[in-house]
């Protein structure tokens, strides 16, 4: 059956930490953009600083939204942000609601990440380990940027880390609360200042045997190892973000059997049986279309 995801407004897929559009033939949003285009959507992937704070990345996103609007002659855009990309999308919608039709958070740390909290405590501010970590990670981000022709500067790993902690996101939320739930684990307002808010995310399976063939995925093993550093959401996280921390606006679902990297349709995710992360994006684009967005 022919799918129809021809949304009224263009879709921007906003990457998170260490994200990029393409390196060689590899796209970060593996097969997602093409699936959306096949279903009739206009899709763009903006360039943002791989590691930086939410507001710097949000300002970069705003400038690219303006270019997409000019290029397409559209009045607004639909923003779908993965991980930290959700925070940049939220910032853009809060600053320029007239340019944003919807914000969709996919595995977004909308209340911070316990993993970021652990790393922040492990790296004492101003001490040598923090400085070394900042240098190494920022150089890695520079390397990725060179490979992907990402022209945005500057990049700073510590700014990104601070922006993803519970404290850092809490300060961000105080300034940009649109779509946030009033209670932990609840849903937020589905529409604020004319902008529609949605979210979805996944959780690791409690028993690795339930993962099936996906247990052979090295990225799933990586997420499962990071999951050990969660306390508040110890059994309810995707390896990088807690289930309830991801809630924003209309919560479509926050317990898909998907790890943090599955939700951008990574190639190794093809080992997974059950939910198809790429299909979730097409279904959501159809949801946006049906809402007149």
């Amino acid at each position: 059956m022919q799918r129809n995801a021809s949304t009224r407004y263009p879709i921007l897929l906003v990457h998170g930490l260490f994200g990029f559009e393409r390196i060689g033939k590899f796209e970060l949003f593996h097969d997602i953009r093409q699936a959306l285009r096949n279903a009739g959507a206009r899709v763009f992937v903006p360039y943002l600083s791989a590691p930086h704070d939410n507001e710097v990345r949000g300002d970069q996103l705003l400038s690219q939204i303006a270019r997409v609007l000019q290029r397409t002659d559209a009045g607004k855009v639909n923003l779908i942000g993965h991980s930290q990309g959700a925070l940049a999308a939220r910032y853009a919608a809060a600053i320029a609601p007239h340019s944003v039709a919807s914000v969709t958070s996919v595995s977004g740390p909308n209340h911070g990440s316990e993993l970021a909290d652990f790393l922040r405590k492990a790296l004492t501010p101003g001490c040598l380990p923090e400085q070394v970590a900042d240098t190494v990670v920022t150089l890695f981000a520079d390397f990725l940027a060179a490979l992907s022709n990402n022209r945005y500067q500057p990049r700073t790993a510590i700014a990104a880390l601070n922006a993803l902690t519970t404290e850092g996101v809490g300060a961000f939320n105080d300034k940009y609360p649109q779509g946030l739930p009033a209670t932990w684990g609840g849903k937020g307002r589905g529409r604020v200042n004319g902008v529609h808010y949605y979210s979805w995310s996944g959780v690791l399976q409690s028993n690795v045997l339930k993962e099936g063939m996906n247990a052979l995925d090295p990225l799933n093993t990586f997420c499962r190892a990071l999951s050990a550093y969660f306390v508040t959401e110890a059994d309810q996280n995707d390896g990088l973000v807690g289930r309830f921390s991801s809630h924003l606006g209309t919560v479509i679902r926050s317990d898909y059997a998907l790890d943090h990297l599955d939700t951008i349709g990574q190639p190794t995710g093809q080992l997974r049986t059950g939910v198809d992360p790429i299909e979730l994006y097409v279904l959501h684009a159809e949801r946006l279309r049906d809402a007149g967005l």
Side-chain angles (χ1 to χ4, degrees):
M1 182 179 72
Q2 181 65 37
R3 307 298 297 272
N4 185 356
S6 54
T7 55
R8 178 181 179 184
Y9 303 113
I11 294 173
L12 273 67
L13 299 173
V14 187
H15 68 74
L17 187 66
F18 300 125
F20 51 85
E21 179 185 12
R22 176 194 297 270
I23 292 180
K25 294 183 178 181
F26 176 75
E27 292 188 42
L28 182 70
F29 289 95
H30 182 69
D31 290 339
I32 294 170
R33 176 161 57 177
Q34 192 57 51
L36 289 170
R37 285 180 171 173
N38 289 345
R42 292 171 293 173
V43 188
F44 301 87
V45 179
Y47 289 94
L48 305 182
S49 291
H52 216 304
D53 69 40
N54 305 315
E55 291 169 291
V56 168
R57 299 178 83 248
D59 283 330
Q60 293 170 353
L61 177 58
L62 281 171
S63 68
Q64 292 179 73
I65 288 172
R67 284 197 287 271
V68 169
L69 293 179
Q70 183 178 33
R71 175 178 172 181
T72 62
D73 201 30
K76 298 181 179 182
V77 296
N78 292 302
L79 301 175
I80 302 179
H82 177 259
S83 194
Q84 192 186 10
L87 301 177
R90 286 176 49 199
Y91 172 86
I95 298 299
H98 57 280
S99 297
V100 180
S102 70
V103 169
T104 302
S105 167
V106 179
S107 304
N110 293 304
H111 298 272
S113 169
E114 290 188 68
L115 178 62
D117 291 344
F118 171 80
L119 292 173
R120 180 66 280 178
K121 290 177 181 177
L123 298 172
T124 304
C127 291
L128 183 60
E130 182 199 54
Q131 296 168 4
V132 171
D134 187 27
T135 299
V136 171
V137 175
T138 301
L139 285 173
F140 174 68
D142 290 344
F143 175 67
L144 289 178
L147 291 178
S148 60
N149 295 317
N150 188 335
R151 60 189 178 278
Y152 272 111
Q153 297 283 354
R155 286 175 280 272
T156 164
I158 294 301
L161 175 60
N162 290 337
L164 291 171
T165 62
T166 301
E167 181 180 359
V169 177
F172 177 84
N173 288 346
D174 288 341
K175 291 187 284 186
Y176 316 107
Q178 293 85 346
L180 291 173
T183 58
W184 180 252
K187 297 181 179 181
R189 290 175 58 191
R191 187 177 183 183
V192 183
N193 296 334
V195 181
H196 294 251
Y197 288 86
Y198 303 89
S199 62
W200 83 74
S201 58
V203 295
L204 291 163
Q205 297 300 286
S206 58
N207 189 329
V208 70
L209 296 178
K210 293 182 179 180
E211 294 284 357
M213 290 294 292
N214 195 56
L216 302 176
D217 178 357
L219 295 179
N220 180 261
T221 302
F222 174 70
C223 288
R224 191 168 290 279
L226 296 179
S227 177
Y229 296 100
F230 283 73
V231 177
T232 302
E233 298 195 78
D235 299 317
Q236 297 286 316
N237 67 80
D238 63 10
L240 276 79
V241 174
R243 174 185 178 183
F244 296 128
S245 180
S246 74
H247 282 200
L248 181 76
T250 299
V251 181
I252 297 165
R253 185 172 171 181
S254 59
D255 63 346
Y256 285 114
L258 298 168
D259 64 44
H260 193 76
L261 298 176
D262 281 337
T263 51
I264 44 175
Q266 290 300 296
T268 50
Q270 294 171 4
L271 294 169
R272 178 176 293 286
T273 57
V275 61
D276 178 357
I278 297 172
E279 176 70 4
L280 294 181
Y281 286 83
V282 178
L283 285 171
H284 187 58
E286 292 176 335
R287 182 180 294 112
L288 295 175
R289 176 185 60 83
D290 291 343
L293 304 175

